[in-house]
Amino acid sequence: MVLGRQQTDASVQDPRGPQWTGSRRVDWCPPLVLNLAMALQHVLVQCSLLVLTVGMLQCRLQWTVAQRGQHLASLLFSSALATLLHTCTGSCLPLMQAPSLEMLVPALVLLSAKTGNEEDCRGQYSETERCDAQGSAERELQGMVVVAGLLQVCVGVCGLGGVCLRRCGPLVLAPLLCVLGLSIYREAALLCSDHWGFAALAVFLMVILSQHLRSVSFSALPDFVQFPFYSMLSVLLPVLIVWGVCVLLEFSGHLQLHTLSDLLPDPGVQNETAPRLLNDTHTHTVLSSGPSLKHSGTLPWISLPHTGVWRPLLSGRATAAGVAAALGSCCSSMAVYCLSSRFLGAPQPPAHACNRGLLSEGLATLTSALLGSTLGVVSSTANVCTLELSQCGSRRTVQLAAILGLLLGLSPRLTVLLSSIPLVIYGAILCVTYAVATATGVTYFQYGHMDSGRNIFNIGFTTFMALVLPRWFRLQPDVLSIGQSSANVFLLSVLTSPMLLIFLMAFLLENSVSGSLAERGLTRVEGKRGETVLVLSDGRQNHDERDATYEPPYVVRRLLAMPT
């Protein structure tokens, strides 16, 4: 695995020239109009995860349109705040923060358990209050978020993330990133199933703009600077085009789109996505109206991004789900750090940057819990893959997107406008972006000896089992019934989280099965032009870990340097 910055001649290998290579730098400052457009693009990609996760919880907790809008606004605000914190004091990589499946899976497992019994409510309610099962479930989710945030902070402070990352060679990162991309294929297919024609159109446009028109420049900018405009906005433009077509057809009566609750399978087969997600037969009736704009009149234009309830219930099940959520989120975030460093052409994240990133994400998760959210935030895989599609890794663009998210999070009505985008568009975004993560994982195989029987078994076994086990335990959740509710929740959360499984298995096999450094891809190699390329085995001794990519922005450095 290449960890040092490769010395390549960008002007020869990239037909777009050195100016285009400069757009990958985190300190690049795009023109204002282009920066705003790319920031809006990041917000739309981030909303694909927000709408999916909040919609899945809405189907189980039976939120009204107003409650759903309030939770969306709260999560969008906390995600934007987390993005600013991460880019300024965390890993300092241009990473957007958002809820993810690593947080959603334990939450759904927790909701599938019986909630609201007398044992859980003991000591949590006064004698005059009634133990409400639905309220107890939401409070348990808040307790899960608190536990997950505290554990993420502990991992960052103790430096465990940096220690683990140093032991992750290319044959750990390869299956990890492959499974990271494949982990959302069910949910992406669910969103695209609303209308496969428009989903295919959105994917087709993204491919055309990001690949076939990637060398087309746009010169109507100050100083006649050449920019590949179509490639940089290869997600925003298809979203606007397909959204406009859907709105015209829907208003003319030729198109009937559905909500997420309409697309979910029947309760008897719902385990395909999450165990016992819809146990109530009237859930579809309650949510059949969906988040339409005509129901947003009850939402205020300006409101504090708080759900109105913050009384976390720290039950045994909530603690178990929080531990599983924190472990899965840490594994996912470390994979995203490596993914972004590869897109930016930077060295692998040093230990201090990884630890700072996990610490900032833990603090952001605690902030999300304080706002009453039922999910925490982690580094968004979809947004980091957008960096590769747009070929732009500017930190200022991500920070501007975070500012837009803060403003939108203060307005539940505008947040509902974003959630009114057809689900097929969000499904297409997830299909294209997560495919980039899978393809990037495949590229790491080149650094190991792929004819080695050791490597063939380790990679094949870990990848296959990380996809098979979660599917089996989603279909048969009662297999793990061992009599202790919290233990059941923890085991089921771990065994239905592909990212946590692949990290544990790949990490253990890679560091326990004997093999030479050459087999594992950990020796020094020579680049195509004869220069020495740094790899994991000698990265600590031979490259400067204080790379500019992982340094805080200039303003933050000046503030930290001020005398106290």
Side-chain angles (χ1 to χ4, degrees):
M1 178 183 58
V2 176
L3 297 184
R5 194 185 306 273
Q6 296 188 21
Q7 307 293 327
T8 57
D9 188 359
S11 61
V12 175
Q13 295 192 7
D14 198 326
R16 291 160 291 189
Q19 175 64 34
W20 175 245
T21 305
S23 66
R24 286 176 173 263
R25 300 196 314 267
V26 295
D27 57 350
W28 181 61
C29 183
L32 179 60
V33 176
L34 183 61
N35 201 17
L36 282 171
M38 290 191 296
L40 180 59
Q41 178 174 257
H42 273 294
V43 172
L44 292 175
V45 174
Q46 183 188 43
C47 284
S48 64
L49 293 171
L50 285 170
V51 169
L52 174 64
T53 53
V54 174
M56 299 292 281
L57 291 181
Q58 180 195 15
C59 293
R60 182 61 178 86
L61 295 173
Q62 304 179 29
W63 288 331
T64 63
V65 176
Q67 289 175 321
R68 181 182 188 273
Q70 195 66 43
H71 279 82
L72 272 174
S74 176
L75 266 178
L76 182 59
F77 185 88
S78 59
S79 300
L81 197 62
T83 301
L84 287 177
L85 181 65
H86 192 92
T87 54
C88 293
T89 61
S91 70
C92 300
L93 290 166
L95 299 177
M96 296 288 291
Q97 306 293 303
S100 67
L101 293 186
E102 287 69 41
M103 283 283 182
L104 180 63
V105 169
L108 295 179
V109 172
L110 180 61
L111 290 176
S112 69
K114 295 181 179 180
T115 57
N117 54 37
E118 295 182 0
E119 181 180 356
D120 294 327
C121 297
R122 188 176 301 139
Q124 303 291 336
Y125 291 87
S126 64
E127 295 181 358
T128 58
E129 292 178 321
R130 183 175 60 89
C131 180
D132 178 58
Q134 196 65 35
S136 176
E138 191 168 336
R139 290 180 55 206
E140 274 194 312
L141 288 178
Q142 293 178 357
M144 179 200 76
V145 176
V146 171
V147 173
L150 290 175
L151 189 56
Q152 284 177 307
V153 169
C154 292
V155 172
V157 171
C158 296
L160 295 178
V163 173
C164 291
L165 190 60
R166 286 197 177 278
R167 305 292 300 177
C168 292
L171 299 185
V172 175
L173 292 177
L176 185 65
L177 294 177
C178 287
V179 173
L180 176 65
L182 296 174
S183 62
I184 205 171
Y185 75 91
R186 287 183 305 271
E187 289 75 14
L190 178 68
L191 298 180
C192 291
S193 64
D194 190 12
H195 197 293
W196 284 103
F198 284 112
L201 175 62
V203 171
F204 174 78
L205 291 176
M206 291 181 196
V207 172
I208 291 294
L209 293 178
S210 64
Q211 304 303 319
H212 295 81
L213 300 180
R214 63 189 309 170
S215 299
V216 177
S217 300
F218 190 80
S219 59
L221 290 173
D223 301 327
F224 301 99
V225 180
Q226 298 288 324
F227 290 101
F229 181 80
Y230 302 105
S231 178
M232 284 184 163
L233 302 180
S234 57
V235 177
L236 177 63
L237 295 178
V239 168
L240 296 179
I241 293 173
V242 178
W243 190 11
V245 173
C246 290
V247 168
L248 291 176
L249 292 179
E250 193 170 12
F251 273 102
S252 62
H254 295 85
L255 180 65
Q256 180 67 37
L257 297 176
H258 302 87
T259 61
L260 185 60
S261 58
D262 300 325
L263 299 178
L264 288 171
D266 295 331
V269 296
Q270 182 55 37
N271 285 333
E272 183 67 23
T273 301
R276 302 190 192 124
L277 181 62
L278 296 176
N279 289 327
D280 243 332
T281 56
H282 68 280
T283 302
H284 289 284
T285 304
V286 174
L287 301 176
S288 60
S289 58
S292 176
L293 289 178
K294 64 182 180 181
H295 296 90
S296 64
T298 59
L299 295 175
W301 283 105
I302 301 295
S303 175
L304 292 177
H306 196 284
T307 60
V309 178
W310 191 75
R311 294 178 62 189
L313 179 58
L314 297 176
S315 63
R317 286 192 300 267
T319 303
V323 172
L327 295 177
S329 299
C330 290
C331 297
S332 174
S333 295
M334 288 190 291
V336 171
Y337 298 162
C338 296
L339 198 62
S340 61
S341 66
R342 189 166 181 83
F343 291 159
L344 297 171
Q348 177 164 331
H352 63 83
C354 177
N355 294 328
R356 291 200 319 262
L358 296 179
L359 174 61
S360 67
E361 290 181 9
L363 294 176
T365 299
L366 291 176
T367 303
S368 178
L370 289 174
L371 294 176
S373 300
T374 52
L375 287 175
V377 295
V378 297
S379 296
S380 170
T381 303
N383 286 96
V384 74
C385 292
T386 305
L387 300 180
E388 174 64 17
L389 292 175
S390 64
Q391 297 289 298
C392 177
S394 173
R395 188 188 288 132
R396 299 191 184 186
T397 300
V398 172
Q399 291 173 341
L400 181 58
I403 294 175
L404 292 178
L406 290 176
L407 297 177
L408 291 172
L410 292 174
S411 177
R413 187 171 295 192
L414 291 180
T415 306
V416 169
L417 173 63
L418 290 176
S419 66
S420 67
I421 296 177
L423 296 178
V424 292
I425 296 178
Y426 287 137
I429 291 176
L430 294 179
C431 287
V432 175
T433 54
Y434 276 80
V436 175
T438 302
T440 307
V442 174
T443 63
Y444 279 100
F445 290 132
Q446 63 182 307
Y447 302 111
H449 182 45
M450 295 314 299
D451 288 330
S452 168
R454 168 195 182 275
N455 294 342
I456 291 175
F457 175 81
N458 288 357
I459 293 171
F461 177 80
T462 55
T463 304
F464 186 80
M465 297 305 293
L467 296 175
V468 169
L469 288 178
R471 177 178 174 84
W472 165 251
F473 284 106
R474 288 189 184 99
L475 295 173
Q476 302 293 335
D478 295 330
V479 173
L480 292 176
S481 181
I482 59 177
Q484 186 66 30
S485 180
S486 57
N488 293 342
V489 170
F490 177 76
L491 290 177
L492 191 58
S493 299
V494 171
L495 293 173
T496 53
S497 177
M499 279 301 297
L500 187 53
L501 280 178
I502 188 66
F503 180 82
L504 292 176
M505 291 188 295
F507 186 85
L508 291 176
L509 286 178
E510 176 67 13
N511 291 281
S512 61
V513 178
S514 61
S516 65
L517 292 178
E519 281 183 296
R520 300 165 62 185
L522 301 180
T523 56
R524 296 174 65 91
V525 295
E526 298 295 325
K528 294 181 179 179
R529 302 178 61 194
E531 73 279 2
T532 300
V533 179
L534 303 177
V535 292
L536 184 63
S537 59
D538 55 4
R540 180 179 301 184
Q541 294 81 15
N542 289 280
H543 78 79
D544 183 11
E545 292 186 353
R546 294 192 59 82
D547 186 87
T549 306
Y550 306 103
E551 290 185 357
Y554 174 75
V555 177
V556 177
R557 294 200 304 269
R558 288 294 301 270
L559 291 176
L560 294 177
M562 291 179 62
T564 57

